[in-house]
Amino acid sequence: MRNGTAITEFILLGFPGIQGLQIPFFTVIFFIYMLTLAGNGLIIAIVWAEPRLQIPVYFFLCNLSFREIWYTTTVIPKLLETFVLARTAICTPCCLLQAFFNFFLGTTEFFILTVMSFDRYLAICKPLCYPTIMTSKLCLQLALRSWVAGFTLVFCHVVLLIQLPFCGNNVINHFCCDAGPILRATYADTNILELLGLLATILVIPGSLVFTMISYIYILSTILQIPSAAGCQKAFSTCASHLTVVSLLYGAVLFMYLRPTAHSFKTNKVVSVLNTILTPLLNPFIYTIRNKEALETTWPVAFQLHRDGPELPLKPMTAVSTYNFSPPPLTASFGTFLDTTATLSGSIWGLLLTWFREK
């Protein structure tokens, strides 16, 4: 494409090296996508329906599941298209919107997991003060701040990005719109954008990792002071699921960004697609299979919802709680959170689409 020609669309290469295997890959990834939507949606529905699960740890889990649903929906449909079409094109406004939501939801995940580590720290290290500190109001504030922080960081970059003229190479060697190829499609000075991106990356990834590590250092120190083995196991089981998810996320991120540049970009692309597809799928299973309370409550409630229908009231069920308090229900707070997030998402879609129409 000539330098003076404005770009109206980008071409996503996807995985050009899998000729002849497009149909099997499409089938597997589509099936995983459906399972991801079902698993995370089921967690939200059951926590909403079962009062005993309306406690801080599951409220934050609902935030994470809500994020997983929209993150996979942002990326996977276009990825599936690369398997069935020889030339996968995406218009410039759609590409920028996908990049925005990709980074917005990815950044928010780091903040949500950091908040969850703080919640586990309070539950294990400050059990007597936990009910009075981690109230419904604080839970809602922490969740909203996680979403607003992720939105603000990425939105500032997008506002600067959409001001640039795109007239360079419009081919993106990826399965989704990434910041690097988009910046290379412009001949304008991108030093400020790249510097802001670097600062935001340092703030989000190492910053959240340090906070999470400090939380778990205190958690581990507290657990080791418990005299009985049963007590240690019970305390560790309350944070084992979160620790597993954190390890998967930071492990993939560190693998992609701390490896020598001489390594193949294809390897990073494979790790990226695994992180995009498998992690959102595994999260519901990790948080239910590794949690005794979730096992004894979630799956029976799901069976009852399937048998009786969502319009019937849930019958009382017995569950073994790993907590020693009963905080106020978080259903109203979660409803407020959903309304706020929907309004936030609608505002950015409308703002960007209006801008592109004017251009």
Side-chain angles (χ1 to χ4, degrees):
M1 183 170 290
R2 296 186 306 273
N3 294 351
T5 305
I7 292 176
T8 59
E9 64 180 21
F10 286 91
I11 308 299
L12 299 177
L13 295 183
F15 293 91
I18 58 170
Q19 297 297 327
L21 298 175
Q22 290 91 338
I23 294 179
F25 273 94
F26 177 91
T27 304
V28 171
I29 294 178
F30 179 78
F31 180 69
I32 292 175
Y33 177 50
M34 291 295 103
L35 284 179
T36 300
L37 296 183
N40 287 282
L42 185 62
I43 285 181
I44 296 175
I46 291 176
V47 172
W48 191 292
E50 175 54 51
R52 272 167 299 209
L53 293 182
Q54 292 173 11
I55 55 179
V57 62
Y58 290 109
F59 173 71
F60 294 127
L61 177 57
C62 283
N63 280 266
L64 187 62
S65 294
F66 183 75
R67 176 264 170 199
E68 303 289 19
I69 290 173
W70 288 108
Y71 181 71
T72 54
T73 302
T74 299
V75 176
I76 292 184
K78 206 64 184 179
L79 170 62
L80 294 174
E81 187 179 332
T82 63
F83 293 130
V84 296
L85 297 180
R87 182 178 181 273
T88 303
I90 179 172
C91 65
T92 301
C94 296
C95 186
L96 293 176
L97 283 172
Q98 186 191 56
F100 167 77
F101 280 103
N102 187 13
F103 286 101
F104 161 47
L105 295 170
T107 302
T108 303
E109 181 180 18
F110 288 99
F111 291 136
I112 292 176
L113 290 175
T114 303
V115 168
M116 295 177 74
S117 69
F118 175 68
D119 173 71
R120 295 298 84 210
Y121 160 75
L122 288 179
I124 295 176
C125 300
K126 309 286 184 182
L128 298 179
C129 302
Y130 183 49
T132 57
I133 297 177
M134 193 59 70
T135 61
S136 298
K137 181 179 179 180
L138 180 60
C139 290
L140 180 60
Q141 289 176 346
L142 291 174
L144 284 177
R145 287 172 183 175
S146 298
W147 287 90
V148 171
F151 175 87
T152 304
L153 280 174
V154 179
F155 181 71
C156 293
H157 290 79
V158 171
V159 169
L160 296 176
L161 183 62
I162 60 179
Q163 309 291 332
L164 301 177
F166 298 103
C167 52
N169 183 15
N170 69 331
V171 178
I172 297 179
N173 185 18
H174 214 304
F175 57 85
C176 64
C177 293
D178 199 7
I182 293 177
L183 289 177
R184 285 193 291 271
T186 179
Y187 287 96
D189 186 9
T190 61
N191 290 331
I192 295 179
L193 264 175
E194 293 175 0
L195 177 61
L196 291 176
L198 176 62
L199 294 177
T201 301
I202 295 174
L203 173 66
V204 174
I205 300 179
S208 61
L209 178 59
V210 169
F211 190 94
T212 301
M213 290 179 62
I214 293 175
S215 298
Y216 273 100
I217 289 174
Y218 280 103
I219 290 173
L220 182 60
S221 175
T222 302
I223 291 177
L224 292 178
Q225 294 176 14
I226 299 177
S228 65
C232 290
Q233 183 177 2
K234 183 178 180 180
F236 184 76
S237 66
T238 64
C239 58
S241 300
H242 175 261
L243 186 59
T244 303
V245 172
V246 166
S247 301
L248 289 174
L249 174 64
Y250 286 102
V253 170
L254 295 177
F255 178 84
M256 287 188 293
Y257 290 103
L258 295 185
R259 297 168 70 237
T261 56
H263 285 271
S264 175
F265 173 74
K266 294 181 179 179
T267 304
N268 285 349
K269 191 158 61 170
V270 171
V271 175
S272 179
V273 74
L274 291 177
N275 188 50
T276 302
I277 296 174
L278 291 184
T279 302
L281 172 66
L282 293 176
N283 283 352
F285 296 98
I286 292 173
Y287 277 102
T288 54
I289 292 177
R290 296 183 63 91
N291 191 300
K292 184 178 181 181
E293 183 180 53
L295 274 177
E296 296 181 354
T297 306
T298 300
W299 301 115
V301 171
F303 174 76
Q304 188 175 331
L305 283 171
H306 172 74
R307 183 189 63 187
D308 298 335
E311 71 282 355
L312 298 180
L314 292 175
K315 300 176 182 179
M317 303 178 59
T318 58
V320 178
S321 177
T322 57
Y323 303 94
N324 297 321
F325 67 97
S326 298
L330 294 170
T331 302
S333 297
F334 188 63
T336 304
F337 159 75
L338 288 179
D339 293 339
T340 305
T341 305
T343 303
L344 201 63
S345 300
S347 299
I348 179 61
W349 274 93
L351 180 63
L352 291 180
L353 288 177
T354 301
W355 184 89
F356 278 110
R357 290 194 189 102
E358 293 176 352
K359 293 288 286 186

